Amino acid sequence: MSRLSVRVRATLAATAIVAVALAAASALLVGVLSERLMASASDEAFRRAGVVAERISGEALPVPDRSAGRAPGAADPDVQILTEAAHPLAGAEFSVHAAPALPAERWAPEDAFVTATAPVGTAGGTVVVRARASLEPAQAALQTLRTVLLPGIPALLLLVAALTWLAVGRALAPVSAIRAELADITASDLHRRVPVPRSRDEIARLAETTNRTLDRLELAVGRHRRFVADAAHELRSPLAVLRARLELAPPQSLTAEALADVARIQALTSDLLLLARLDADEPVRHDEVDLGQVAAEEGTRVRPRPEVRVALEIAADVLVRGSAEQLRRLVANLVDNAVRHAESAVTVRLAAEGDEAVLEVRDDGPGIPAEHHEAVFDRFTRLDEARDRDAGGAGLGLAIARDVAVRHGGGLAVASGPPGACLRARLPLAPPAGAASPPA
C-alpha cells in the first residue's frame, strides 16, 4: 500500500469507507422494512378478524351437531369462523361450506400468510374468528428493494471512486506543478520559483515555504560564487609575480618543482574564475567563430607529452556563434584531456552534420567505463587511473567544457567506451549570411 500514490490510496480509502457504510445502511434498511411489512400484514389480519368478530357478536348460532368437527367459513376466503358446533353460521355475510375447516398449517402457511384469531361470545356459544393476511406484497417489496440495491451499490461505489479520483487529482495538481518545477531547477537557474496556487490551503503554504527556501539557497550560492570569483581574481596577481620570480631564479630542481606547482595553481584559479563567470550567467557574446581554425590551433599547440601524436581531420568553414575565448577553452580542455590519457595518438575531428557542428576528440588510452560516462563531467572528479595529482589536473576541464557547450546551445557527451575514449561536442552552426542573428 505504501508504494501506491496518494491519489490511489485516497480513492481506495474513500471507496472502502463508502462501501462499508452502504452495506450497513442496506442491511439496516432491509431489516427495518421487513419488520415493518410483517407488522403491517399482521395488523391487516387482526383488522379482518376484528371486523368479522364485531358482526357476529351476540348472534345465535345453531348447534345441531358436535361430531362433524368442522367450522363455518365466512364469505371472505381469508376469514374462518370456528365454533364448537359442527354447522357454520348461515346468512348473507357468510357462505356455508360443506367441507370442514382446513387446519391452520394448510390454510395459512407461515411463509405465505400471517394469521390472527379473536374469540367472540354469541348466543349459541363462544366462537373463534381466524383471519389471515398475505405476505406476498411484503415479499414483492423486499425483492424490489434487493433488485435495486444489488446493482445500485456497485454503481454508486464506482461513481464515488471516479469522483474521488478526480477530486484528489485536482487537489494534488498544484503539488505536481511544484514537483515538476523543482525537478527542473538546477544550480544555474536558482532564480526560478515554484507556482503558488490561489487557494490559501496547506499546499499554498508549502509552495510559499519552498520559495522562501529557494530564496535563501540562491542567496547562499550567490555568495559562494562571488567568493570563488573574488578569491580566484585576487590570486592571479600574486601568482603571476611568484611565477616571474621563480623563472628569474637560478635553475635548481626545487625551483623547477615550485614553478610547476605555481603553473598548476594558476590553471586552477583560471578554471575557478571561468566557472564563476559561467555560473553567474554572464551574457555570451555571439561573434562568428571559425571552429575549424580554433581546433587546428589547439591541436597543434605544444603540450607536456610530445610523444603523443595529434591527428587533425577538420572540415573547412565550420562556423558557430559564441564567445571565441570560451570555445577555445572547450577545445583546449578536450584535447588536453585526451593527450593526458592517450597511449600514443589523439584524433581531433570536426565536421558539419545538418545544422550542427560536431567536434570529436578520440584517444587510444584506457577509455572511460560506461558507469562513469556522466560522472566525468562532474566538478573535481577524476577517475582512479588519474588520481595522481602530478599526472593530471584538478578535475575541472571536462566540467568547464560541458558548461561552455551547454551555454552555446549544444552539449557534450562520451561517445564511446574502452578501448579508447571519444568525447563528442555538438554546437549549432552559425546562420547563413543575411539570416537573423541571435541577440547579444
Side-chain angles (χ1 to χ4, degrees), residues 19 52 57 59 64 85 98 103 135 172 182 184 223 229 240 265 325 352 361 363 394 398 436:
V52 175
S57 178
E59 294 187 9
L135 293 177
L172 294 179
L182 279 176
D184 291 339
R223 289 176 177 174
I265 295 175
E325 177 188 357
V361 180
D363 64 72
L398 294 183

Side-chain angles (χ1 to χ4, degrees), residues 108-130:
E110 292 182 357
D111 58 344
F113 295 91
V114 292
T115 60
T117 57
V120 182
T122 64
T126 300
V127 300
V128 177
V129 178
R130 185 171 67 184

Side-chain angles (χ1 to χ4, degrees), residues 165-294:
W165 178 268
L166 294 176
V168 174
R170 189 180 183 89
L172 294 179
V175 177
S176 299
I178 294 172
R179 182 194 59 80
E181 186 67 19
L182 279 176
D184 291 339
I185 294 177
T186 62
S188 60
D189 52 7
L190 288 175
H191 62 279
R192 295 170 58 177
R193 296 294 179 268
V194 301
V196 179
R198 296 180 180 179
S199 59
R200 309 307 303 171
D201 54 8
E202 291 81 357
I203 298 178
R205 290 193 288 273
L206 171 64
E208 293 171 352
T209 303
T210 302
N211 285 336
R212 288 194 294 269
T213 302
L214 289 174
D215 290 339
R216 295 192 295 269
L217 181 61
E218 183 183 18
L219 181 61
V221 172
R223 289 176 177 174
H224 172 70
R225 289 172 177 171
R226 286 192 297 272
F227 168 77
V228 172
D230 294 342
H233 181 74
E234 293 298 328
L235 282 173
R236 296 180 72 180
S237 296
L239 286 174
V241 173
L242 179 59
R243 180 170 184 173
R245 291 177 178 176
L246 290 173
E247 289 175 346
L248 295 175
Q252 299 178 6
S253 59
L254 185 60
T255 302
E257 292 177 1
L259 189 59
D261 289 338
V262 170
R264 186 162 56 246
I265 295 175
Q266 281 186 311
L268 177 59
T269 56
S270 178
D271 288 345
L272 291 175
L273 187 59
L274 178 57
L275 282 174
R277 290 202 301 266
L278 292 174
D279 290 342
D281 289 333
E282 292 183 356
V284 178
R285 298 181 59 183
H286 288 84
D287 301 329
E288 192 170 75
V289 180
D290 188 343
L291 193 58
Q293 180 181 350
V294 173

Side-chain angles (χ1 to χ4, degrees), residues 39-65:
S40 178
S42 180
D43 291 342
E44 176 64 18
F46 276 108
R47 186 193 65 80
R48 292 180 177 179
V51 169
V52 175
E54 183 179 355
R55 292 181 180 178
I56 66 174
S57 178
E59 294 187 9
L61 291 176
V63 191
D65 185 3

